[in-house]
Amino acid sequence: MRVSEAAAEFLAHLTQVRRLSPATVRAYRSDLADLAAATGDAELAAVDLEALRDWLWRATQRGDARSTLARRTAAVRSFFAWAVEAGFAPVDPALRLVTPKRGRTLPAVASADAMRVLLDEARDAALDGDPIRLRDSAILELLYGSGMRVSELCGLAVDDIDLDRGTARVVGKGDKERVVPFGAPARDAVAAYLRRARPVLVARAQRSGPSLFLGARGGALGPRAVYELVARVLAPVIGAETVGPHALRHSAATHLLDGGADLRAVQEILGHASLGTTQIYTHVSAERLAASYRLAHPRA
């Protein structure tokens, strides 16, 4: 069996059996397609450790980021482990393949004061009753108030929101469901959107579905529109050229820890499988604390 044929079987396994997210499957598909091209779509048995090392070396020569190299290493190790178990390959050449070390980059985070100004401006802009401005205010409040992912936000149905309890039921990575809390400002913004804006947007569509957030024509709102919204309002605040909804998630997590929230509670809210993923925000909090010390202390 050739690399491309085995890769197709493996990707079906990831989707149907392991139920990985579409984004992860797309990344693995890209990585394995690149491997197939680099090896001339060789037979699996002909791919050895040196071939895999050469493949990664070529990626470094192209200037691929360390995070990309680490992901590709993980993809090929998972692929060959599966191939051996499935009987498609006699040995696992990726067992001794070393994962390149990732460089740690801290996420971009807005200050709590900056977020307060940004959200207040979005709320005030919606006072004229414009349905899109009401929707945008609710989106920004909910993303920051709950720390949910943009895919989780776009997947919300109206029935997933409990305004009385201030909670949302979201489906995260690996189709794992969790309930996330949000505060009074988000609750008020979502309530105003449901009462005054969503019915207007529904009326613009020939058919309306259960999606909570709708586009200007009444269809379900997609991640791209949310990215554009967040980039427009948040990039000037953070001072970065490219910024997306994840920056609101990063900011929410950091501000929770700054306020004394337990790390494991933040892990549950964000839906991280590993506590190690959540710990990156402790580094952000520590650096912010150090920066404040340097600015304020006369002997810093």
Side-chain angles (χ1 to χ4, degrees):
M1 180 176 280
R2 296 190 178 276
V3 171
S4 62
E5 296 169 331
E9 296 282 344
F10 176 61
L11 293 168
H13 170 78
L14 295 182
T15 301
Q16 299 166 12
V17 179
R18 293 182 57 186
R19 299 175 66 85
L20 297 187
S21 71
T24 301
V25 174
R26 280 197 301 272
Y28 275 36
R29 179 179 289 111
S30 172
D31 295 338
L32 295 176
D34 192 70
L35 176 65
T39 59
D41 203 14
E43 293 287 333
L44 278 183
V47 180
D48 57 13
L49 178 61
E50 287 307 310
L52 296 180
R53 285 174 173 167
D54 181 66
W55 172 59
L56 286 180
W57 179 81
R58 293 185 192 184
T60 62
Q61 294 300 107
R62 287 198 304 262
D64 286 6
R66 286 186 179 182
S67 58
T68 302
L69 296 174
R71 189 199 66 217
R72 291 198 162 192
T73 304
V76 80
R77 291 180 72 172
S78 181
F79 170 59
F80 276 102
W82 166 86
V84 170
E85 184 177 345
F88 295 138
V91 294
D92 184 349
L95 278 176
R96 292 169 53 207
L97 191 65
V98 177
T99 303
K101 292 184 178 179
R102 280 191 180 188
R104 192 187 77 193
T105 56
L106 298 179
V109 170
S111 70
D113 287 340
M115 284 305 308
R116 187 178 301 109
V117 171
L118 182 155
L119 295 170
D120 285 350
E121 287 178 349
R123 180 200 61 206
D124 292 344
L127 291 176
D128 63 0
D130 179 82
I132 299 301
R133 290 173 182 162
L134 284 164
R135 181 203 65 191
D136 290 351
S137 175
I139 287 173
L140 294 170
E141 286 283 7
L142 198 55
L143 282 173
Y144 177 64
S146 68
M148 67 176 68
R149 302 176 177 93
V150 63
S151 59
E152 295 168 349
L153 177 109
C154 292
L156 285 173
V158 173
D159 290 343
D160 291 328
I161 292 288
D162 187 332
L163 292 177
D164 292 332
R165 296 186 178 183
T167 60
R169 184 175 64 248
V170 300
V171 178
K173 291 185 176 180
D175 285 339
K176 293 181 179 178
E177 186 178 290
R178 71 185 191 283
V179 174
V180 295
F182 53 84
R187 183 184 63 217
D188 293 344
V190 172
Y193 162 74
L194 286 172
R195 185 175 65 255
R196 301 166 55 199
R198 192 176 183 278
V200 177
L201 299 177
V202 167
R204 297 177 182 177
Q206 293 180 347
R207 297 171 57 190
S208 62
S211 295
L212 174 63
F213 291 112
L214 304 178
R217 296 181 180 179
L221 193 70
R224 182 176 179 178
V226 181
Y227 269 89
E228 291 174 353
L229 164 64
V230 174
R232 185 175 71 251
V233 301
L234 194 59
V237 172
I238 291 182
E241 292 184 5
T242 56
V243 63
H246 236 60
L248 291 179
R249 180 171 161 87
H250 296 323
S251 300
T254 303
H255 298 162
L256 280 167
L257 290 171
D258 285 348
D262 178 74
L263 188 64
R264 288 200 176 274
V266 176
Q267 178 192 5
E268 289 292 325
I269 291 171
L270 297 180
H272 287 157
S274 167
L275 189 64
T277 307
T278 316
Q279 284 177 328
I280 185 68
Y281 299 109
T282 63
H283 300 303
V284 179
S285 293
E287 290 207 353
R288 287 155 61 92
L289 182 63
S292 297
Y293 172 80
R294 288 191 294 270
L295 287 172
H297 200 288
R299 305 285 287 181

